[in-house]
């Protein structure tokens, strides 16, 4: 594309290119992961009813969003599972997985900055955000919340790349730490790879490829299972990312 923005990076694991500058609050023992029945009811209404037309409308108008492999999720409507996706949109990433497996509720593991926005932070929580913890007590509550959502037969989305690189068309290396959750809970995992494809003149659409389910191999120990699942998801996403055929933003590594 003509006049592409160019972003220079040094570290694929740690560089962050989100334009939002938010001071993250500390997620400690005082953070409330568990909520009342009324809060949960309001969260469901906001997450799966009132906001859904906005999510669908935005994704269609802005990105002409198309899913390939969506039926794979539908077969597991009565099972909790994890979705691993590449992190390339600051706003759309919050609902692309949710629209894909609707009407199943989807929760997202997020950076604490996402729930630190004044006033809006509570809305983001109601929309399914689960912030990562900063101390041991919060970590225990965090893990209990993830387990609860999976047992409720909902999905939990994780962005293993951790940092937002807008419109990035490749898959960045990521660690296997987040794969301990499906290993411990013994549930399937899916990959969701967002690709950028051209249509018309200088126009881009998102095509999201859903692959899976993938399961931890019983013959491996826990650490080996984590690593194996990570490698399967990583290689699957790398292969799918090859379907991107346009660069809206060019990323150049500084030597």
């Amino acid at each position: 594309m003509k006049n592409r923005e160019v972003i220079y990076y040094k570290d694929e694991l740690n560089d962050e290119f989100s334009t939002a500058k938010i001071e993250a609050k500390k997620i400690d023992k005082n953070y409330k992961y568990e909520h009342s029945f009324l809060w949960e009811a309001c969260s469901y209404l906001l997450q799966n009813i009132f906001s859904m037309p906005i999510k669908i409308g935005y994704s269609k108008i802005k990105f002409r969003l198309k899913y390939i492999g969506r039926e794979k999720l539908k077969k597991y409507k009565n099972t909790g599972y994890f979705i691993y996706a590449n992190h390339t949109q600051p706003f759309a990433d919050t609902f692309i997985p949710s629209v894909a497996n609707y009407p199943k509720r989807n929760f997202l593991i997020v950076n604490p900055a996402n729930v630190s926005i004044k006033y809006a932070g509570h809305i983001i929580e109601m929309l399914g955000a689960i912030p990562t913890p900063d101390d041991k007590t919060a970590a225990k509550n965090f893990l209990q919340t993830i387990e609860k959502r999976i047992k409720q037969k909902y999905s939990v989305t994780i962005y293993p790349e951790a940092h937002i690189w807008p419109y990035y068309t490749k898959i960045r290396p990521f660690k296997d730490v987040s794969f301990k959750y499906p290993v411990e809970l013994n549930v399937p995992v899916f990959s969701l790879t967002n690709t950028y494809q051209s249509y018309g003149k200088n126009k881009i659409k998102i095509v999201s490829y859903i692959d899976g389910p993938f399961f931890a191999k019983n013959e491996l120990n826990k650490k080996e299972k984590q690593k194996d699942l990570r490698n399967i998801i990583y290689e699957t996403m790398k292969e799918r990312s090859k379907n991107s055929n346009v660069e809206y933003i060019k990323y150049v590594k500084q030597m």
Side-chain angles (χ1 to χ4, degrees):
M1 299 185 72
K2 295 181 179 179
N3 303 317
R4 286 180 298 175
E5 178 184 353
V6 178
I7 291 178
Y8 295 91
Y9 69 91
K10 294 181 179 179
D11 187 347
E12 291 169 297
L13 279 173
N14 298 301
D15 284 354
E16 170 71 59
F17 296 112
S18 171
T19 56
K21 304 300 178 185
I22 303 164
E23 185 177 349
K25 65 182 180 182
K26 189 175 179 63
I27 306 298
D28 57 18
K29 63 181 180 180
N30 297 314
Y31 181 80
K32 196 172 182 180
Y33 281 102
E34 289 287 325
H35 299 281
S36 67
F37 174 81
L38 179 60
W39 191 97
E40 289 284 354
C42 291
S43 172
Y44 169 76
L45 290 173
L46 181 63
Q47 183 183 19
N48 262 38
I49 296 178
F50 298 143
S51 68
M52 197 54 65
I54 298 172
K55 295 172 183 176
I56 295 172
Y58 180 86
S59 62
K60 289 293 185 183
I61 294 169
K62 173 78 173 174
F63 296 112
R64 285 202 175 186
L65 178 63
K66 178 182 179 181
Y67 295 101
I68 294 179
R70 191 176 183 179
E71 70 283 352
K72 297 168 187 174
L73 297 176
K74 302 305 178 187
K75 293 178 181 179
Y76 286 80
K77 63 182 180 180
N78 294 319
T79 304
Y81 52 73
F82 289 88
I83 299 172
Y84 289 84
N86 52 329
H87 211 359
T88 63
Q89 288 293 326
F91 179 56
D93 279 354
T94 63
F95 60 77
I96 288 176
S98 301
V99 173
N101 68 358
Y102 183 79
K104 181 191 285 286
R105 291 181 73 184
N106 178 65
F107 292 82
L108 303 100
I109 295 178
V110 302
N111 185 289
N114 289 274
V115 297
S116 302
I117 305 168
K118 194 173 182 179
Y119 304 122
H122 296 298
I123 301 298
I124 293 170
E125 288 179 78
M126 284 191 163
L127 288 169
I130 305 174
T132 53
D134 288 315
D135 68 21
K136 288 185 178 179
T137 303
K140 180 180 178 181
N141 297 333
F142 171 77
L143 292 171
Q144 287 176 342
T145 299
I146 292 174
E147 184 175 1
K148 174 185 174 181
R149 297 309 185 188
I150 292 296
K151 285 184 176 179
Q152 289 174 319
K153 301 179 181 179
Y154 301 146
S155 63
V156 175
T157 293
I158 297 173
Y159 292 95
E161 295 171 324
H163 304 283
I164 298 174
W165 285 29
Y167 292 93
Y168 190 61
T169 58
K170 296 182 177 64
I171 304 301
R172 289 165 276 150
F174 49 79
K175 300 177 181 179
D176 65 10
V177 61
S178 66
F179 291 86
K180 67 182 180 182
Y181 310 129
V183 168
E184 291 176 355
L185 296 174
N186 193 30
V187 293
V189 301
F190 293 86
S191 65
L192 189 155
T193 312
N194 296 310
T195 67
Y196 295 92
Q197 302 183 22
S198 62
Y199 73 95
K201 186 177 181 180
N202 291 327
K203 294 181 179 180
I204 297 175
K205 63 181 178 181
I206 292 179
V207 179
S208 297
Y209 294 87
I210 298 166
D211 290 287
F214 304 108
F215 298 89
K217 295 182 175 66
N218 291 329
E219 64 271 20
L220 304 177
N221 63 39
K222 282 188 176 182
K223 276 292 182 184
E224 291 171 338
K225 287 177 180 178
Q226 275 183 232
K227 185 175 181 180
D228 184 60
L229 278 179
R230 179 265 176 204
N231 291 342
I232 290 170
I233 293 293
Y234 181 66
E235 293 301 327
T236 300
M237 293 174 75
K238 273 182 64 178
E239 190 62 31
R240 288 299 193 184
S241 72
K242 294 176 183 178
N243 289 301
S244 289
N245 59 17
V246 62
E247 277 190 325
Y248 182 70
I249 297 175
K250 184 175 179 64
Y251 286 82
V252 178
K253 187 165 187 176
Q254 291 179 318
M255 305 305 291

